[in-house]
Amino acid sequence: MIRTPYLLFLGDAHDQLAAKVAQGINDWRPDNVVGQFRMDGCKADVGAPDMSLQEAYDKGARTLVVGVANRGGVISEAWLGVLAEAMEIGYDIASGLHNLLRDEDILKATSARAGRTLHDVRVPSVAYPIANGKKRNGKRCLAVGTDCSVGKMYTGLAMDTEMQKRGLKSTFRPTGQTGILITGAGVPLDAVVADFMAGAVEWLTPENDDDHWDHIEGQGSLWHVSYSGVTMALIHGGRPDALILAHEPTRTHMRGLPDYDLPSLEALRDQALPLARIANPNCQVAGISVNTKALSDQEAADLCAEIEAKMGIPTVDPYRHGAARLVDALLEL
Amino acid sequence: MIRTPYLLFLGDAHDQLAAKVAQGINDWRPDNVVGQFRMDGCKADVGAPDMSLQEAYDKGARTLVVGVANRGGVISEAWLGVLAEAMEIGYDIASGLHNLLRDEDILKATSARAGRTLHDVRVPSVAYPIANGKKRNGKRCLAVGTDCSVGKMYTGLAMDTEMQKRGLKSTFRPTGQTGILITGAGVPLDAVVADFMAGAVEWLTPENDDDHWDHIEGQGSLWHVSYSGVTMALIHGGRPDALILAHEPTRTHMRGLPDYDLPSLEALRDQALPLARIANPNCQVAGISVNTKALSDQEAADLCAEIEAKMGIPTVDPYRHGAARLVDALLEL
């Protein structure tokens, strides 16, 4: 568990996209954010107040979160001094970068001496069990995509936010580094050893109140041959009561796989639902989430209406239109 | 790559079943076996000549293979002296036990001093790539099961043996520790990190001659919720041209999951084939392998005939009836 609230470290981000982790945290958990820390030459701004390390610490920030991606996931020389100074002040450090905080001598030495924690959220820190497949009380929702990176995380976060707003019992359950940094806890599923993937998802979504919903962050796609095993483990470990089909309408092929076409939403439904029902015979496809970022308002509305007419279930872009209709669909199951 | 041939270490096996790894090696690769080494009180015998360490070494054995399972996968105190002595003589040591050779101080020290290799085949020794999904020349066959432990490894080994006997180009590709010890190389798939599972299977089954068949060892089952992600990675990483459906007719529920029923062979076919065709649109279900160990000769023959009439594809127990008809089916695809 990462201590909140955060100071978001944007470093010397070379553009806005490089700070998308910090942006995600500020968009979805503004209450977790005291401010942002930018170095000379930083070209990103996530909209949080600019603060020095000491100022943010005095306002309560307890973890400095590396919310920026460098090329190759490396930890830049220019950052090390700032991160070490932050630990001297009292911060823990959290990062989802491929290169690990703990592998930097100065960070390791400073954290040990000052008694701070380095959170490398790409690395599992728990010995997950092998999945036992047992029924657990409480409800679970999982987004499955026609491809990777089609908005599954945003769908889960938007549905959780909508349920919280209504005073319903709901938890977002992250399975990737950005999600883990947003909420402060989760399972870095793509780094878990094969035998324990489904067990890690069970561990992440334990027994709960009958009227509580977990919104499990999806990963990969059954159609993405590089990562479909991870998707499968989510479908069985999560034993969802509801699936949301997630889609991005402008993709011309599977991400990173030029020879692979995207499936239709019908094909996704017809393949995913029987697999989900192996674990939970009551699972239903509740709705469809379309990432319409590349479309105009009118195009987005038309496309959602067209898909909804064809598929017969609520279809929205939860980021653009809100997740209310998807949540309504869950509650009607 | 483990140096062959082997001396099979049976230790103080408390019964025949405890030596099933050694038995598998001797059954499937007798040419790799110089002899067996048994300690006082050993209750197993795999049928290889009993030999001392020195005698087998003089006859060419170069690796001592721990072919016995202790309770809990531990390396018994009683074994350590023998394993260390073997390294002094010149042997490498190979083991698929859960507890690692390299974690035993005396083995680690002796191997370092004497310049021998400790092969812990449960631990991946390669940095596998992320799968790229590209078409590779050569043919691949994968057994998918209605459950775990229904004879998928034996099916692949039997088909490989039959093809070798006919002078055809064929390789068995192990994905579990017993298979790796049998052939001397492979991928311990259940220990691979999630993101690299499918890539590890691609690595294991590279580009080959057009008329060469890889027989990929299957793992888990799409219906086994603890391990289905591993099965999925095999289906997509292996991009098989042919699937063999593997079944054990006396199971009353999924192995280790008392609340889970086994699927029908029709359900397995109808779920697995569309998933396989995502990676390889030409994939076919070529035949059915039934593990009839618990049945009489007549029952086995009747059951295979009944399944074959219902499913319309060759159905045999490759261990009992030979794999000739399954190989014929591959060649006719």
Side-chain angles (χ1 to χ4, degrees):
Chain A
M1 198 75 196
I2 302 170
R3 289 193 298 163
T4 53
Y6 302 152
L7 176 62
L8 301 175
F9 177 79
L10 273 58
D12 46 2
H14 56 276
D15 60 17
Q16 188 66 22
L17 192 63
K20 73 174 186 176
V21 170
Q23 189 71 60
I25 297 170
N26 198 59
D27 285 353
W28 291 107
R29 289 292 186 276
D31 292 352
N32 281 354
V33 176
V34 170
Q36 65 185 9
F37 180 94
R38 302 195 289 167
M39 295 168 65
D40 285 348
C42 180
K43 303 213 171 60
D45 178 351
V46 302
D50 282 298
M51 283 189 204
S52 70
L53 296 174
Q54 189 65 55
E55 195 182 348
Y57 189 81
D58 293 342
K59 294 198 171 177
R62 287 298 173 264
T63 302
L64 184 68
V65 175
V66 179
V68 55
N70 257 5
R71 284 181 223 286
V74 299
I75 297 163
S76 130
E77 277 292 323
W79 299 358
L80 290 173
V82 178
L83 302 185
E85 188 192 341
M87 284 192 280
E88 301 287 0
I89 291 172
Y91 287 94
D92 294 336
I93 314 281
S95 160
L97 295 179
H98 186 77
N99 287 26
L100 304 183
L101 298 170
R102 68 186 70 165
D103 290 341
E104 300 292 336
D105 290 341
I106 183 173
L107 301 183
K108 198 173 169 187
T110 308
S111 72
R113 184 171 41 71
R116 313 302 173 215
T117 303
L118 299 174
H119 296 281
D120 285 304
V121 302
R122 260 179 203 266
V123 182
S125 54
V126 172
Y128 302 112
I130 286 178
N132 63 33
K134 290 202 178 130
K135 182 175 171 0
R136 316 189 279 292
N137 288 333
K139 303 280 190 189
R140 285 156 200 91
C141 179
L142 173 70
V144 291
T146 50
D147 193 3
C148 299
S149 307
V150 294
K152 295 185 298 292
M153 183 183 80
Y154 267 49
T155 302
L157 282 161
M159 293 176 74
D160 174 53
T161 302
E162 173 69 18
M163 291 189 80
Q164 302 274 353
K165 214 167 65 184
R166 297 189 195 181
L168 300 170
K169 295 177 192 166
S170 165
T171 310
F172 176 68
R173 301 294 191 182
T175 61
Q177 56 263 20
T178 303
I180 294 170
L181 290 172
I182 289 175
T183 67
V187 167
L189 192 58
D190 59 13
V192 171
V193 163
D195 250 3
F196 304 99
M197 293 185 298
V201 181
E202 288 187 349
W203 176 91
L204 181 67
T205 60
E207 180 95 353
N208 216 318
D209 294 342
D210 284 341
D211 58 346
H212 177 279
W213 280 90
D214 277 335
H215 300 279
I216 307 170
E217 181 187 353
Q219 295 291 341
S221 163
L222 288 173
W223 264 260
H224 198 294
V225 296
S226 310
Y227 309 116
S228 52
V230 182
T231 311
M232 189 71 254
L234 279 158
I235 292 173
H236 281 168
R239 63 187 324 277
D241 301 275
L243 296 176
I244 304 289
L245 308 182
H247 184 56
E248 205 284 320
T250 67
R251 291 281 164 86
T252 54
H253 60 74
M254 297 297 289
R255 188 176 165 87
L257 304 174
D259 299 335
Y260 286 78
D261 293 332
L262 268 73
S264 67
L265 284 160
E266 290 89 339
L268 175 60
R269 175 193 64 200
D270 295 345
Q271 193 78 57
L273 190 58
L275 287 170
R277 286 182 172 169
I278 290 170
N280 184 348
N282 297 318
C283 186
Q284 306 273 354
V285 176
I288 297 171
S289 170
V290 185
N291 179 345
T292 63
K293 198 173 172 185
L295 307 183
S296 71
D297 281 349
Q298 189 59 51
E299 286 168 338
D302 290 349
L303 179 64
C304 288
E306 181 193 319
I307 292 173
E308 183 159 333
K310 188 177 63 166
M311 300 288 292
I313 45 177
T315 302
V316 300
D317 180 336
Y319 196 67
R320 188 170 210 151
H321 309 127
R325 294 189 60 224
L326 296 179
V327 168
D328 291 343
L330 280 199
L331 300 177
E332 277 164 26
L333 284 183
Chain B
M1 199 73 195
I2 302 170
R3 289 193 298 163
T4 54
Y6 302 151
L7 176 62
L8 301 175
F9 177 79
L10 272 58
D12 46 1
H14 56 278
D15 61 16
Q16 187 67 22
L17 193 62
K20 74 174 184 175
V21 169
Q23 188 72 62
I25 298 170
N26 198 59
D27 285 352
W28 292 107
R29 290 291 185 276
D31 292 351
N32 280 353
V33 176
V34 171
Q36 65 184 9
F37 180 94
R38 301 194 289 168
M39 294 168 64
D40 285 348
C42 180
K43 302 212 172 60
D45 178 352
V46 302
D50 282 296
M51 282 190 204
S52 71
L53 296 174
Q54 189 63 55
E55 195 182 351
Y57 189 81
D58 293 342
K59 294 198 171 176
R62 286 298 172 263
T63 302
L64 183 68
V65 175
V66 179
V68 54
N70 257 6
R71 284 180 222 284
V74 300
I75 296 164
S76 131
E77 277 292 322
W79 298 358
L80 290 172
V82 178
L83 303 185
E85 188 193 341
M87 285 192 278
E88 301 289 359
I89 291 172
Y91 286 95
D92 295 335
I93 314 282
S95 159
L97 294 179
H98 186 77
N99 287 27
L100 304 183
L101 298 170
R102 67 185 71 164
D103 290 342
E104 300 292 336
D105 291 341
I106 183 173
L107 301 184
K108 199 173 168 187
T110 307
S111 73
R113 185 171 41 71
R116 313 301 173 215
T117 302
L118 298 174
H119 296 281
D120 285 305
V121 302
R122 261 179 201 264
V123 182
S125 55
V126 172
Y128 303 112
I130 286 178
N132 64 32
K134 290 200 179 132
K135 182 174 173 359
R136 315 189 281 293
N137 288 333
K139 303 280 189 189
R140 286 156 200 90
C141 179
L142 173 70
V144 291
T146 50
D147 193 3
C148 299
S149 307
V150 294
K152 296 186 297 294
M153 182 182 80
Y154 266 50
T155 302
L157 282 162
M159 292 177 74
D160 174 52
T161 302
E162 173 68 19
M163 291 189 79
Q164 302 274 355
K165 213 167 64 183
R166 296 189 196 180
L168 299 169
K169 297 177 191 166
S170 165
T171 312
F172 177 68
R173 301 294 191 181
T175 61
Q177 56 264 19
T178 302
I180 294 170
L181 290 173
I182 289 175
T183 67
V187 167
L189 192 58
D190 59 12
V192 171
V193 163
D195 250 2
F196 304 100
M197 292 184 299
V201 181
E202 288 188 349
W203 175 92
L204 181 67
T205 60
E207 181 94 352
N208 217 318
D209 294 342
D210 284 342
D211 57 347
H212 177 278
W213 280 90
D214 277 334
H215 300 278
I216 308 169
E217 182 187 352
Q219 295 291 340
S221 164
L222 288 173
W223 264 260
H224 198 293
V225 297
S226 310
Y227 308 116
S228 52
V230 183
T231 310
M232 189 72 254
L234 278 158
I235 291 173
H236 281 169
R239 64 186 323 278
D241 301 273
L243 296 176
I244 303 290
L245 309 182
H247 184 57
E248 204 286 319
T250 67
R251 290 281 163 87
T252 54
H253 59 74
M254 297 296 288
R255 189 177 164 88
L257 304 174
D259 299 336
Y260 286 78
D261 293 332
L262 268 73
S264 67
L265 284 160
E266 289 90 340
L268 175 61
R269 174 193 65 200
D270 294 345
Q271 194 77 55
L273 189 58
L275 288 170
R277 285 182 172 168
I278 290 170
N280 184 348
N282 297 319
C283 186
Q284 306 274 355
V285 177
I288 298 172
S289 170
V290 185
N291 178 344
T292 63
K293 197 172 170 185
L295 307 183
S296 70
D297 282 349
Q298 188 60 50
E299 286 168 338
D302 290 349
L303 179 65
C304 288
E306 181 194 321
I307 293 174
E308 181 158 335
K310 187 177 65 166
M311 301 288 291
I313 44 178
T315 303
V316 299
D317 180 336
Y319 196 66
R320 187 169 210 151
H321 309 127
R325 294 189 60 225
L326 297 179
V327 168
D328 291 343
L330 281 199
L331 299 178
E332 278 164 24
L333 283 185

